Amino acid sequence: MTQNWGMTIPFYDRSLSKAQDLIAELPALGYTDVWSAEVNGTDGFVPLALAAQWAPQARLGSAIVPVSTRGPGLLAMSAATLADLAPGRFVLGIGASSPAIVERWNAGTFAKPYARTRDTLRFLKRALAGEKVSEAYETFEVKGFKLERAPKTPPKIVLAALRPRMLRLAAEEADGAITNWLAPADVQKVRAEIGPDTELIARLFVCVDEDTERVRETARWMLASYLTVPVYAAFHDWLGRGEVLRPMHEAWAAGDRQAALKAIPDEVVDDLIVHGDAATCRARIKEYVANGLDTPVLAPLPGATPIDQAVRELAPEA
């Protein structure tokens, strides 16, 4: 059984400025890891910089920082700063992200996502080791970049990976793989692509609420907004849900959001969202672990149980 049990910060019900006490409590509850996210809320680094001070025992990770919304040098500087604040405790999670985040929100270019992620990984490994990098990669060129102060302990780098090619890159050249929106039964298929020795990390959305219909109603909005993104659609097609999700995709493409929500079967919601009372949720999380997940990273959703109570009740030592 894994010794890792992670928590996503900040929490859904409060800003980062209001989260210090609960973040500081996490290690005592048994949480080993604190992982940030970066979509359109907080950025991926500042919460970890604060958590480095608020929860000095925890491992810190970004899940994930896009490789196309910052330049390679800036990514290296941010990672080096976190590695200095939390020596040996920071894990840099990077990934391709999506066209919406990269292009529509950040005026970047979402092109060759696999190659851009691979090239960024290779650059970061050299830069964070203190090398001076001058290299023409497939997707960008760096001329003479060298960190002013390279970290004494370079951070591990893990990749957001949803399908075989990226999963294999994570196993062959990075220190682990991060995945998302999968069921316990899906873990073995993902694990088969990376082998037994590569760390597998997954964010799990958890709602401590025994009102199944209420949870499903809320969860359908989340699922539709994610699973209609092309990379997630392809992921679930690979996992074998292509046909069962086809009606949702067709309704969404036609602009009928309500029909798309109704088209998501209950069993898909129950597969991808952990819900029920706290004991049921913890047991479900352990199913992921039993199937090969090394690091579950919980993301408690609003429900009948307040977030701070859910965080405490979902702890491995609860």
Side-chain angles (χ1 to χ4, degrees), residues 122-233:
R122 291 174 178 175
F123 164 77
L124 288 169
K125 288 171 70 173
R126 293 180 61 191
L128 291 167
E131 293 184 35
K132 184 175 183 178
V133 183
S134 292
E135 185 80 28
Y137 298 94
E138 180 182 344
T139 56
F140 59 83
E141 183 174 3
V142 175
K143 298 179 180 179
F145 178 85
K146 188 175 189 301
L147 284 167
E148 182 179 291
R149 182 177 289 105
K152 292 181 180 179
T153 304
K156 291 183 176 182
I157 305 175
V158 296
L159 301 185
L162 298 177
R163 284 181 289 162
R165 194 180 184 201
M166 195 75 84
L167 286 164
R168 289 194 290 267
L169 178 65
E172 293 165 3
E173 298 193 34
D175 299 297
I178 304 170
T179 191
N180 196 4
W181 291 114
L182 77 170
D186 299 326
V187 175
Q188 292 180 352
K189 185 165 187 173
V190 174
R191 170 60 70 187
E193 298 295 333
I194 62 175
D197 300 323
T198 299
E199 182 177 6
L200 180 59
I201 303 150
R203 174 165 284 115
L204 308 179
F205 294 93
V206 185
C207 188
V208 182
D209 192 332
E210 297 179 61
D211 188 331
T212 301
E213 292 308 313
R214 179 170 58 203
V215 173
R216 287 172 177 166
E217 182 179 357
T218 301
R220 279 188 167 86
W221 280 104
M222 294 185 65
L223 289 171
S225 65
Y226 270 91
L227 301 189
T228 52
V229 174
V231 291
Y232 282 104

Side-chain angles (χ1 to χ4, degrees), residues 52-133:
Q53 310 305 310
W54 295 345
Q57 308 95 317
R59 184 172 72 152
L60 312 172
S62 58
I64 54 87
V65 173
V67 297
S68 298
T69 55
R70 295 173 178 82
L74 180 56
L75 264 176
M77 289 187 285
S78 297
T81 302
L82 261 297
D84 179 63
L85 289 172
R89 295 191 293 121
F90 172 56
V91 179
L92 175 62
I94 58 173
S97 191
S98 70
I101 292 173
V102 173
E103 295 184 338
R104 296 205 291 271
W105 298 353
N106 287 285
T109 301
F110 189 79
K112 298 184 176 181
Y114 171 84
R116 180 64 184 244
T117 303
R118 179 202 62 207
D119 294 348
T120 303
L121 169 65
R122 291 174 178 175
F123 164 77
L124 288 169
K125 288 171 70 173
R126 293 180 61 191
L128 291 167
E131 293 184 35
K132 184 175 183 178
V133 183

